[in-house]
Amino acid sequence: MKKKINSRFMCIGLLSIVITTVVMTIVFYARLKEQVFSDLSDIADFVVATSDYEIQIEDIRITYIAHNGEVIYDSKVDVDAMENHGERPEVVEANKEGDGKSIRKSDTLSESLYYYARKTDDGSVIRVCKEADNVVSMLLSTLPQIIVMAVVLMIICMYLTRYLAAEITRPIENMVEDMDRTDEGDIYEELEPFVRKIRMQHEEILSAVNMRQEFTANVTHELKTPLAAISGYAELMEAGMASDDDVKHFSQEIRKSAARLLSLIEDILKLSQMDAGEVEKVLEYVNIAQVAKDTVEMLSIGAKKNNVRVSYVGCDEADIRIGKEFAEELAYNLIENAIRYNKPNGHVIVSVKVKKGKIIFTVKDTGIGIPKEHQERIFERFYRVDKSRSKELGGTGLGLAIVKHICNITRADIKLQSEADKGTVISVKWLG
Ligand code: ADP
């Protein structure tokens, strides 16, 4: 970019110099002509006034021409050798207009002959002539100055150009160096949308990288705990330090930790598949009402043990393009949470409704609710309100993150309403 600006500016500079030189030459030449003819006119005035045609003026040739064009007197050339002058342009013009001018080539290349003719009262013509500079000689005589001026101007131009190019590109370079700078003060107006977009993308990339790093750290941490438990219990048993009862208890703990590891790995796999975009582009239509009913039936047996009643209300048919796996995953995670974070004698109502052509899946519970300050964050990976409770109940902290991901993929809006100690309503609305 700098190179381009540099060369463009230099071209403009050069062009300016050339144009200036040409214009100045034309102007000066016009002035010179004017001056020469004005001098000649003064001399002609003088000659006519004094009627002294034979007056000798240095460098000036005076010719006296009769009204028929015959040359009567010439201060420089022998009259006998001169042809009729009636057709000379300045004489023709003087006969017509009173005075006439013309410029003709001289023997010397660098000079021209300037003729000025004046008609007198008796019809004869007085012509005065002078040899003076022409355009070529003017240009040649000023050439050294022009060259010096051009060189000086080009040097100034070069420095100015370099400075200007640096000034123009500085905000862009600054931006490239430090993408996080939020002040847009010294950024060009025209570039602002572009800059905003780049910054946005940059921030998105950064936050994606951060999220991934955080996720990896969390995964490692989450996997470590059950693994440490398993190896701890196994070590105790290996050392023969456990009684029969202990062995039973330890085995139970090992099985629990293994189950936990399994569900963690399953959830992590699901999320990373979705992250990597390993999802079918065209998902098949699924009756979400049927899926909701089946999931309620499946989970209500376990819920009964915890004195939680799960029921389904709503329509029988509501087809959405979601794919069987996603539909089951979504229904399972939301209903399981509603049971898991419920209270004894609590209630879970699952519903699927069609409103204005839009399908809404809602899970409502009378459970422990989610305090306001946690509501924004519970869709984050591994975020739990009460870590130990979630772990104790077999939660991985990934269920809602998976639900959110499915909503994004299937273009659904997810809404959460919750009050601590009263209960939670989560509804998913497909935009159709
Ligand atoms: P988990 O496996 O821990 O349940 P989720 O991602 O499914 O992970 O949920 C994140 C957290 O949100 C839970 O740990 C819990 O604290 C809270 N939560 C989710 N659903 C509900 C609900 N229906 N009632 C109360 N709290 C809930």
Side-chain angles (χ1 to χ4, degrees), residues 178-195:
D178 187 2
M179 287 296 276
D180 296 331
R181 263 174 55 164
T182 44
D183 58 311
E184 290 183 3
D186 57 350
I187 288 211
Y188 301 116
E189 217 178 288
E190 297 81 351
L191 283 182
E192 262 175 36
F194 177 67
V195 170

Side-chain angles (χ1 to χ4, degrees), residues 337-338 340-341 365 368-370 378 383-386 390 395-401 424:
N337 276 352
R340 194 183 272 162
Y341 304 107
D365 67 63
I368 59 169
I370 304 159
I378 56 159
Y383 192 85
R384 299 136 164 145
V385 176
D386 182 345
S390 156
T396 59
L398 294 173
L400 287 182
T424 304

Side-chain angles (χ1 to χ4, degrees), residues 33-92:
K33 266 195 322 194
E34 210 177 287
Q35 189 59 48
V36 171
F37 282 122
S38 154
D39 289 352
L40 290 175
S41 156
D42 288 347
I43 294 167
D45 279 348
F46 179 76
V47 173
V48 172
T50 56
S51 299
D52 181 7
Y53 311 126
E54 295 180 21
I55 187 173
Q56 293 295 320
I57 305 170
E58 206 185 332
D59 293 337
I60 299 289
R61 176 183 167 198
I62 299 172
T63 317
Y64 180 39
I65 304 155
H67 69 276
N68 61 1
E70 193 187 324
V71 179
I72 297 166
Y73 168 78
D74 193 289
S75 61
K76 294 267 163 73
V77 185
D78 182 10
V79 175
D80 295 336
M82 287 175 77
E83 58 190 33
N84 189 296
H85 267 42
E87 293 306 312
R88 296 290 148 102
E90 67 280 6
V91 178
V92 173

Side-chain angles (χ1 to χ4, degrees), residues 148-290:
V148 171
M149 183 188 79
V151 170
V152 171
L153 277 179
M154 281 316 275
I155 291 170
I156 295 174
C157 232
M158 223 162 67
Y159 278 101
L160 266 180
T161 297
R162 240 184 246 168
Y163 171 74
L164 277 176
E167 273 292 291
I168 290 171
T169 50
R170 191 171 47 87
I172 300 167
E173 284 170 352
N174 281 350
M175 195 189 83
V176 174
E177 262 173 37
D178 187 2
M179 287 296 276
D180 296 331
R181 263 174 55 164
T182 44
D183 58 311
E184 290 183 3
D186 57 350
I187 288 211
Y188 301 116
E189 217 178 288
E190 297 81 351
L191 283 182
E192 262 175 36
F194 177 67
V195 170
R196 230 173 286 141
K197 181 122 201 186
I198 292 183
R199 284 209 172 119
M200 225 171 69
Q201 283 176 350
H202 188 242
E203 273 166 25
E204 273 170 18
I205 293 170
L206 276 183
S207 80
V209 169
N210 274 344
M211 247 175 69
R212 211 151 281 177
Q213 279 174 348
E214 207 178 303
F215 183 59
T216 315
N218 279 333
V219 165
T220 320
H221 179 76
E222 294 285 336
L223 294 178
K224 250 187 184 167
T225 326
L227 274 175
I230 290 173
S231 96
Y233 288 125
E235 232 172 78
L236 283 177
M237 292 198 285
E238 193 184 26
M241 287 162 68
S243 65
D244 283 355
D245 277 356
D246 284 344
V247 168
K248 199 172 174 200
H249 171 63
F250 291 171
S251 307
Q252 255 171 12
E253 289 300 322
I254 287 174
R255 194 182 47 74
K256 256 201 235 166
S257 292
R260 186 165 166 63
L261 273 179
L262 220 76
S263 53
L264 260 170
I265 289 167
E266 271 173 8
D267 280 357
I268 291 164
L269 263 179
K270 276 176 216 153
L271 268 174
S272 47
Q273 273 168 2
M274 284 192 256
D275 277 347
E278 284 172 26
V279 182
E280 280 176 66
K281 286 266 164 350
V282 185
L283 296 161
E284 85 249 40
Y285 276 101
V286 173
N287 180 2
I288 189 83
Q290 191 57 50

